[in-house]
Amino acid sequence: MKYVAMVLAGLLLAALVHLAGMSRAERARILRITPAPAVAAADPAMPDAVPGGRAVRPVSTSRPTPAPAPTLPVDTGAEPRVAAPEPLPSGLVVPVQGVTPAQLSPTFEDARSEGRVHEAIDIMAPTGTPVLAVADGHVEKLFDSRQGGLTIYQFEPGGRYAYYYAHLDRYAPGLAEKQQVRQGQVIGYVGSTGNADPAGPHLHFAIFVLGPEKQWWKGTAIDPFPVFTGKRP
C-alpha cells in the first residue's frame, strides 16, 4: 500500500510539473476552467461606450471656434456726402409791374408777429399796381386769409413749385381756380388786405417747394431774392 501511495504521489507531482509548463489556455482546457473574458476595447462607433460597458458623457478636447472680430470702418479722410441743395427756379419775372430786380430788398429772414419768420419777399408799390404771373402755370387756389388777405396760389407746370401772392387789393377780372396763366399775365393788383399796413401797400411774394401730395397749403419756403437778383442776401 505504501508503495502504491508513493507511486500515485509521484504521478501527481509529475502532472503538476507538466501543468506548470503549459499555457494558461491549455491548463484551463484540461482542468475545464473557462478563462475570464478579456477587457474589450471601446467601440469607436459608440462614442459613449467605455471599457466595462459603463456609459459616460463624451468629453470634447477641441477648443471652440472664436467669433470673428467685428469689421471697423476705415477712415479714408473723405468728407461725408450730403444731399444736393434744391435747385432754384429760373427765368421768373418780378411779379409787380414796373419793378426791377435792383429795387428789391432781402426780407426772407425778417421777424414777424407771433414769433414767425417772414419767409417771403415784400415788393413795395402803390395800391392798384398790376401783379404779374412770374411764370407759366395754373391757378391752384384763390384764398382769403386773416394774415394774407386776398391770395393766389399758382403751381408751375411741373408741379414742383408753388408761387404765392398775398395782400392783394383785388383779383384780375375773370381769374378762377384751375385757370391756365402765362408768364407776365396780370392776375391781381397790389393792396394791403389781411394783416398788411394800409400805409405801406405791397405784394407779399413767396416760393414753396411742394411735397409729393401737391397740397397748396403745405410746402418748404425758399428765398425769392436770389431767384430774382442772382445774389445771396
Side-chain angles (χ1 to χ4, degrees):
M1 261 325 259
K2 183 177 179 180
Y3 176 77
V4 173
M6 292 177 61
V7 171
L8 292 176
L11 292 174
L12 179 58
L13 179 61
L16 291 175
V17 173
H18 179 70
L19 287 174
M22 298 175 66
S23 67
R24 180 183 176 189
E26 290 174 334
R27 292 196 304 270
R29 184 172 60 253
I30 293 174
L31 299 175
R32 300 184 180 276
I33 299 174
T34 302
V39 176
D43 185 351
M46 299 179 63
D48 289 342
V50 295
R54 182 167 57 89
V56 297
R57 295 177 60 87
V59 178
S60 174
T61 58
S62 61
R63 295 184 178 180
T65 304
T71 302
L72 299 178
V74 178
D75 184 5
T76 61
E79 292 292 331
R81 298 186 62 182
V82 297
E86 180 67 35
L88 297 176
S90 60
L92 303 187
V93 299
V94 176
V96 176
Q97 191 174 74
V99 176
T100 66
Q103 296 174 273
L104 301 178
S105 299
T107 58
F108 188 79
E109 299 290 345
D110 288 2
R112 289 296 185 265
S113 62
E114 301 174 1
R116 295 176 296 113
V117 177
H118 193 210
E119 294 188 337
I121 190 171
D122 285 342
I123 305 174
M124 311 305 294
T127 298
T129 303
V131 171
L132 314 177
V134 293
D136 294 347
H138 74 272
V139 176
E140 178 67 17
K141 185 68 177 178
L142 300 177
F143 193 67
D144 189 358
S145 71
R146 179 179 62 87
Q147 292 180 345
L150 293 179
T151 62
I152 299 172
Y153 290 85
Q154 175 195 347
F155 282 12
E156 54 93 19
R160 185 60 180 152
Y161 300 105
Y163 305 123
Y164 176 66
Y165 312 79
H167 304 313
L168 300 174
D169 181 69
R170 65 190 188 278
Y171 298 128
L175 191 72
E177 292 180 1
K178 308 306 179 184
Q179 176 183 333
Q180 297 293 319
V181 295
R182 303 289 296 177
Q183 185 179 60
Q185 178 181 335
V186 176
I187 56 177
Y189 300 89
V190 172
S192 55
T193 57
N195 64 358
D197 184 354
H202 65 278
L203 175 70
H204 172 104
F205 178 77
I207 302 174
F208 298 104
V209 179
L210 295 171
E213 304 84 2
K214 312 301 181 191
Q215 296 169 330
W216 58 269
W217 66 94
K218 286 185 179 180
T220 302
I222 59 176
D223 191 351
F225 183 79
V227 174
F228 292 129
T229 66
K231 302 175 183 178
R232 291 289 177 182

